[in-house]
Amino acid sequence: MSSTSLNDKEKNPSPEHETTEASLDNAFIKRFPFVGRVLSRLFASGVEARGVERVPEDEREVKNMWNKSVAILSASRQLLTVIVGSLLMWWSVNTVLTTLPIGVLAQEFFFLTLPHAIATIFCFTALGAVLTSFISTLGPRTGLRTMIITRYSSGYIGCTIYSILNILTQLGFSVTAVILGGQTLASINPGTLPLVAGVVIVGICSLVPCFIGYNMVHHYERYAWMVLFVVMIMLLGLGAHAGYDIDAQKPFEDKGRALSSDILSFGGIVFGSVAGWAPVAADYNCRLPVNTSTVKVFTLTFFGLFIPIAFVEILGALLMTITSEAYTEAFKNGGTGGLLGQLLSPWHGFGKFILFLLAFSVIANNVPNTYSAALSIQALGRPFAKVPRFLWTLIIFIAYTVAGVAGREHFAEILSNFLAILSYWTAFFIVIVAEEHFLFRRPGGKLGGYNLDDWDAPSKLPLGIAGVSAGCCGVAGAVVGMAEVWYTGPIGVKAGAEFGADLGFELAAAFAGVTFPLFRWIEIRYTGR
């Protein structure tokens, strides 16, 4: 079986599987005639009908902008504006309250001094940002959502597995977001707003933009960062006024192998906080033109991830060096939300307003979680794709809000364990997609490119044996290398001191990276796809 290259596809687009926005609207209205009038009004008001369906080249963003715009900007400058919008989206998504506690974990769980915490954050954030930025470049090239792209390396079966993992991942992110947002709302006037109510309020506010869809998500994220970045600068200054003690953790920090264990384990959490966006990275630029510069997309996505995540996580680590008794008691009793309440207390009413902004900053983080989780449900198969995306967002909202209410008293434990485990599967997922792209789909490779018409044709996609088998090897690597409270693998034990060192994501990537090329070569050799 021959595979049409991406370049050939650009020159000769086929309409076989391509669907316009209008046709998708009509399809859903005909499929659910008993609520057809409601659906018609929703779509007419701007709610996105498109789910996992490929975005054809003639419906990409800049061409539509060019047809509708009366501005005197050139097409190239319009394109640059759209790409920069992608950077600002990631900046907004990560300049939020939920990023702060990750830096807090450096001292809370691993007793790292500030210099070691900063070095770890820089290195592992950069690694995660590089890998996530690569995935983001596939959006414009294919017009496909991230989970659908996995069908070209792991088939329908592999896509289903990855989609389930991604649903759990986005739910995990959402649970931590609504808990922290609820904690912060409850700390504005202690005793007046129950934590449960805070969790529910934040969850409802997160639902609205992702219910509407792609354009609303981008509009919201394009501007949210402005206020949030100023707020983070304010927190930095207030912390300096309270007094940072850079050597506060020095008496408690481990030495030798134990220190390396702490750095590797904390680094895995940091990596997970960045690479956790890889399974959704292409979702938010699949409407960019196919000829969008890969270098620009990669570079702007990298800085859109690296700068805010590193800055906010370092801020979280800095706040943990404040040794005043009032601050340590506030953290002990109220977690990160309580610490922020104490930090802003000198500003009285204005400080409470800043807390209010911080509590609702998690919306910027939670919107892509909810939106992409709904897409991942659709990617499970055609029966799921027949249900409108916005209905899946409602189900996702209910799921993470209920889970947030149930786990509201265990935020730190949920965060640390969730992010560590998250890094395991995202590591081998990225490696498999990258090796498929660079080894087998490159011009002159075994397959020579992507036949983009086959995105929903199981008989033309890979069987998935190679991708699933390599993924299983990645799981094996994670198991032998992980170091969690509830389990430490044999290599994890030997790599560290008393509690082991978490090498889960490194070994997951290595095991999958070594085995996938061999498995995939055999699969192509005997199936031709």
Side-chain angles (χ1 to χ4, degrees), residues 90-149:
W90 292 115
W91 201 296
S92 293
V93 165
N94 293 293
T95 311
V96 293
L97 185 60
T98 42
T99 310
L100 268 171
I102 300 170
V104 167
L105 294 174
Q107 282 90 359
E108 183 182 10
F109 281 179
F110 302 103
F111 305 107
L112 296 176
T113 58
L114 184 63
H116 285 148
I118 291 175
T120 304
I121 289 169
F122 270 130
C123 294
F124 285 89
T125 300
L127 177 60
V130 165
L131 299 179
T132 303
S133 298
F134 157 70
I135 298 294
S136 73
T137 65
L138 300 180
R141 292 173 65 85
T142 64
L144 296 171
R145 311 288 189 167
T146 315
M147 288 296 100
I148 300 300
I149 293 171

Side-chain angles (χ1 to χ4, degrees), residues 374-459:
L375 293 175
S376 292
I377 294 178
Q378 287 192 316
L380 293 173
R382 290 175 182 172
F384 297 91
K386 290 181 178 180
V387 178
R389 174 204 53 79
F390 63 83
L391 290 181
W392 291 123
T393 63
L394 288 173
I395 294 173
I396 292 295
F397 153 72
I398 294 170
Y400 69 65
T401 303
V402 170
V405 169
R408 63 191 181 277
E409 303 296 342
H410 306 284
F411 173 76
E413 292 86 351
I414 293 173
L415 181 66
S416 61
N417 286 293
F418 161 67
L419 287 178
I421 295 172
L422 166 62
S423 69
Y424 304 154
W425 87 266
T426 52
F428 66 74
F429 150 77
I430 295 169
V431 166
I432 289 173
V433 172
E435 289 186 334
E436 176 74 20
H437 180 77
F438 289 113
L439 297 180
F440 301 105
R441 300 284 176 177
R442 76 183 193 281
K446 272 282 186 181
L447 298 175
Y450 299 81
N451 189 332
L452 298 176
D453 289 334
D454 296 344
W455 70 270
D456 196 33
S459 62

Side-chain angles (χ1 to χ4, degrees), residues 17-19 21 48 50-61 64 139-140 142-145 214 283 285-288 452 455:
H17 294 289
E18 294 176 358
T19 48
E21 299 288 348
E48 181 188 19
R50 188 181 298 278
V52 293
E53 298 84 6
R54 181 175 180 268
V55 184
E57 284 79 4
D58 60 356
E59 289 190 38
R60 303 294 179 88
E61 192 158 326
N64 289 336
T142 64
L144 296 171
R145 311 288 189 167
Y214 182 96
D283 294 355
N285 53 25
C286 62
R287 291 176 182 261
L288 289 176
L452 298 176
W455 70 270

